[in-house]
Amino acid sequence: MKFSLRLQMIVSFSIVFIAMIVIFGSLILNYNISSYQKQSYDSINKVVKANLSLIDNYLDQLITVSKIVANDQDIIKAVTYRNSVQGEIDYAVELYNQREVASKIKQLDVLGNITNALIIGNDHEYLYYYGSSPVRGYRFDQQDWFNKAAYIEDKYIRFTNFHPTDYLLNHRSRQTVSVITPIINANQYYTAGRTFLMSDFNLDPIISDKSGQGNMQIAIYDGVNPIHFANNSSLSDSQKERISEGLRNGDKSFTVAKSGEHLVSYLVVNETSQVSGWTILGIMPLTEIEQMRTTNTTVVMIMIVIACILVVFLSGLISKSILNPMQSLLQRFNQIASGRRDISFKESRSVEINLIAETADHMLKNINQLTDDVVEEQKRLATEQLKVLQHQINPHFLNNVLQSIKAMAVTGDTESISKATTLLGKILSYSVYNPYELVELKQELSYTENYITLQNIRFNGMIHYSMSCDEELDHLPVPKLMIQPLVENAIEHGFKDQKEGNLSIVVEDAGDEIYIAVMNDGSVVDPDEMELINCMLSDRDTYKQKQSIGLLNLNQRLKSCYGVQAGVKMLSREGMNTSIVITIPKRKEV
């Protein structure tokens, strides 16, 4: 199926520019999403650092107060007494000790968030308490959360994970976090029988979302396991496991994808406390980012559609502006091909088209002028030369070349277009200006090579050619347009049924004569036809013939310039090349 050049240009331009618009739109969309995600990360990171600073400040105060209480001599004295009693307790002493311990532990009230405090003796049961009443006989050494926190050798102050408060009578269903401080008897240089001060405190008043985004969650992990979620968490178990996995990998920020039971994804940013070793997490749902992605995608798609419509419209205008001058030029050449000589060429914005138009215009003017001059001066010679010129610079040839340039434009082969138009301009310039005077042989060979190169562009390099000329013959005066007709015959007739062919042009000085041979390996000329042509070249007048007009005209021109010894001869035989040999006798003035 064939399409018009304009339609092909519109489609080509549209595809290229639409692809560029889609790529550019995608880049903008990704940039906006990544920029918003970075802003979200920065916002969460600020909240996390603010909470981390708040918690660390509170924990530093808690550690300080806990140390003061644990190192109080009255508490150490009371604890030492209880740990050392093996039998009956002296209740007078014990009552005194209870009052002293209660007054000392009450110092923890300065922190405001302490809910309970217990002193746990070396038998792992509580000795004294402050706040809610504990369960008598409760063994803390049987609790994993207590053992993990209390018996870490490389830490003095220990923080527990989020743990139950089943050791309290009235708050067994509550969860809390505790700080455990060893009670040391400084006078005896040993811990008072592994006795601890355990203070329960509430994290909720400490943790807060400072970002102004109420949908953010603040969580605390002990590294990989959750200690506390400040708000009621809406994350699924699989998403919490993904958070633990990210923390195990050491990721400072990561996303948690949607799960089957929870259709919200999250952005997680975390920092580690240097005081407690806990990891503070900011967890924000990506609902807004996903909504923005959907909105931006819709906007970008609408923009792309609008841009595509504009591109197609503009491509039509551009293709019209490019092709109209060429179409106009082709129409005028078609009119020339039909026989009209009163054609005028309009100026175009294209340098190449203007060059062709100017050259063609000069050609037409010169043809008309020369026709009149030649008729007046020498009718027969003018007629011969006009036939030669019309044969070589046939408007059909120009039309074919322009059609080839048009085909190159379809494929976007601008390099070949530039080369073809340059060659055509050179060929037309050479053919038109001073067309009937003698030229140097090297100019004629250069013109012929330009003609072969232009034909090779048209026929995809099917012609393989070579030229050989003795250097001392470069400046030999010869009739213009002498060799090119022979090359044209070889291409049109010799290579007619072949995909490619070989062409050789050889110029040799043979002493008294100069031979110019144009050889090709194309179709062999029938022996009878070859004999007839050679007879016509030797004996008959050009104007009585109906065939081989190009060879006959060239033969007559040579004889007019150099005498009867000059001429053209054809050689062709099966198994050898077909050759056209031009003989030029040397003259004294040469």
Side-chain angles (χ1 to χ4, degrees), residues 44 48 216-219 267-270 280-284:
I44 299 174
V48 169
M216 183 186 298
Q217 300 180 46
I218 301 297
L267 174 64
V268 179
V269 178
N270 66 87
I280 312 302
L281 285 74
I283 306 171
M284 188 181 79

Side-chain angles (χ1 to χ4, degrees), residues 446-571:
S446 176
Y447 165 78
T448 303
E449 186 173 15
N450 288 336
Y451 176 82
I452 296 172
T453 304
L454 184 57
Q455 292 287 38
N456 260 334
I457 293 176
R458 289 184 58 209
F459 298 117
N460 298 321
M462 64 166 283
I463 306 166
H464 306 286
Y465 72 95
S466 63
M467 289 186 177
S468 175
C469 177
D470 296 335
E471 291 183 0
E472 60 268 25
L473 298 177
D474 283 347
H475 303 288
L476 175 70
V478 297
K480 181 182 282 189
L481 304 176
M482 176 181 66
I483 301 175
Q484 181 266 343
L486 307 181
V487 172
E488 183 176 10
N489 282 339
I491 294 173
E492 291 183 359
H493 303 293
F495 301 151
K496 183 177 181 181
D497 299 320
Q498 297 183 194
K499 294 183 178 178
E500 59 182 12
N502 295 298
L503 186 69
S504 298
I505 300 173
V506 179
V507 182
E508 292 184 351
D509 188 348
D512 294 334
E513 295 176 325
I514 295 171
Y515 295 104
I516 302 174
V518 179
M519 299 172 286
N520 71 84
D521 61 352
S523 302
V524 176
V525 180
D526 182 82
D528 295 336
E529 182 181 353
M530 181 183 68
E531 183 178 357
L532 178 61
I533 292 173
N534 284 330
C535 288
M536 288 190 296
L537 292 172
S538 299
D539 303 327
R540 299 184 184 182
D541 192 286
T542 302
Y543 298 100
K544 297 178 182 178
Q545 311 308 322
K546 301 298 182 181
Q547 56 183 348
S548 301
I549 190 69
L551 289 177
L552 295 171
N553 282 342
L554 174 59
N555 187 63
Q556 187 63 36
R557 291 177 66 203
L558 290 170
K559 292 183 183 298
S560 298
C561 291
Y562 301 107
V564 294
Q565 293 181 352
V568 180
K569 186 175 182 180
M570 177 183 289
L571 301 173

Side-chain angles (χ1 to χ4, degrees), residues 183-223:
I183 298 176
I184 299 175
N185 189 340
N187 295 328
Q188 298 180 4
Y189 301 100
Y190 69 92
T191 59
R194 305 295 290 176
T195 305
F196 302 95
L197 170 63
M198 186 180 78
S199 303
D200 300 340
F201 60 95
N202 187 7
L203 285 173
D204 285 341
I206 305 170
I207 301 173
S208 62
D209 175 7
K210 304 299 183 183
S211 67
Q213 301 177 7
N215 57 354
M216 183 186 298
Q217 300 180 46
I218 301 297
I220 301 177
Y221 274 63
D222 66 346

Side-chain angles (χ1 to χ4, degrees), residues 378-434:
Q378 193 177 11
K379 182 176 181 180
R380 177 172 176 167
L381 182 59
T383 305
E384 286 180 354
Q385 292 172 332
L386 182 59
K387 287 181 180 179
V388 171
L389 185 61
Q390 289 176 335
H391 183 70
Q392 303 305 326
I393 313 302
N394 197 312
H396 288 291
F397 167 72
L398 296 176
N399 187 52
N400 290 336
V401 171
L402 287 174
Q403 293 293 345
S404 298
I405 293 174
K406 181 178 179 181
M408 296 171 196
V410 173
T411 60
D413 191 356
T414 56
E415 183 178 354
S416 296
I417 293 173
S418 177
K419 186 175 180 181
T421 52
T422 300
L423 289 171
L424 181 58
K426 290 180 179 179
I427 289 172
L428 293 175
S429 297
Y430 180 87
S431 304
V432 172
Y433 296 116
N434 299 320

